[in-house]
Amino acid sequence: IRVWDAVTGTCLHVLSGHRSLTSGMELRDNILVSGNADSLVKIWDITTGACLQTLDGPSKHQSAVTCLLFNSKYVMTSSDDGTVKLWDIKTGEFIRDIVKLDSGGSGGVVWRIQLDKTRLVCAVGSRNGTEETKLIVFDFSVGNEKTKQVASCSAN
């Protein structure tokens, strides 16, 4: 990943550390979060070129990262392994799996995620027919700590 000065065309930083194709990036202010086919997610400061965190460890994704979102507290990532994971952006600590498809690891994929203040929408499917193509909506405003799946809509 390269950071360029848009005025001068000068390369300011080369952000090294991923071992494969970058599958997604999101930028807010000076913080860049990048996901990769190597299953890693990295948090960068583009003003210094420093890698602030690498989201890995025993709970890391087991396959390519397909989508990511972040705010000032959390990073949410989805993967070819059929999971959506929540991470602490400051410490890099894994917090929990938000989604874990039964067919994850054997073909189930969470392709994309989108989040508003209270809901998470996941586009899921598979490469081999093990998981129905559908949107799953989770509502976090249900008044307790448990995530409630409120809707599922298939492509059929």
Side-chain angles (χ1 to χ4, degrees):
I1 301 169
R2 294 180 187 270
V3 180
W4 299 87
D5 183 310
V7 175
T8 66
T10 305
C11 180
L12 302 174
H13 304 289
V14 177
L15 309 179
S16 299
H18 285 299
R19 298 180 299 260
S20 189
L21 301 171
T22 300
S23 55
M25 293 185 285
E26 187 171 331
L27 177 67
R28 292 218 175 123
D29 301 319
N30 64 315
I31 301 299
L32 175 75
V33 179
S34 61
N36 202 276
D38 63 9
S39 77
L40 294 181
V41 177
K42 292 190 171 278
I43 303 168
W44 310 90
D45 182 329
I46 63 165
T47 58
T48 65
C51 179
L52 304 175
Q53 297 291 341
T54 299
L55 308 183
D56 61 3
S59 297
K60 78 177 187 84
H61 287 294
Q62 299 304 306
S63 189
V65 174
T66 56
C67 193
L68 53 86
L69 305 167
F70 78 97
N71 62 24
S72 62
K73 294 182 179 181
Y74 305 108
V75 177
M76 188 176 290
T77 58
S78 65
S79 172
D80 271 355
D81 66 9
T83 63
V84 176
K85 296 182 180 290
L86 187 65
W87 308 83
D88 183 295
I89 196 166
K90 301 284 188 223
T91 66
E93 283 185 55
F94 170 76
I95 297 171
R96 66 177 273 204
D97 283 316
I98 302 289
V99 173
K100 198 168 190 177
L101 298 176
D102 290 338
S103 62
S106 63
V109 177
V110 181
W111 295 108
R112 293 288 179 264
I113 54 176
Q114 194 54 254
L115 190 65
D116 69 10
K117 289 183 180 188
T118 60
R119 293 167 300 192
L120 169 66
V121 179
C122 303
V124 304
S126 68
R127 291 195 166 100
N128 60 8
T130 58
E131 186 73 40
E132 181 181 23
T133 299
K134 60 189 168 191
L135 296 176
I136 303 173
V137 180
F138 294 92
D139 188 348
F140 298 95
S141 68
V142 293
N144 62 38
E145 294 201 8
K146 294 194 179 216
T147 305
K148 180 179 178 186
Q149 181 178 331
V150 294
S152 178
C153 177
S154 70
N156 298 331

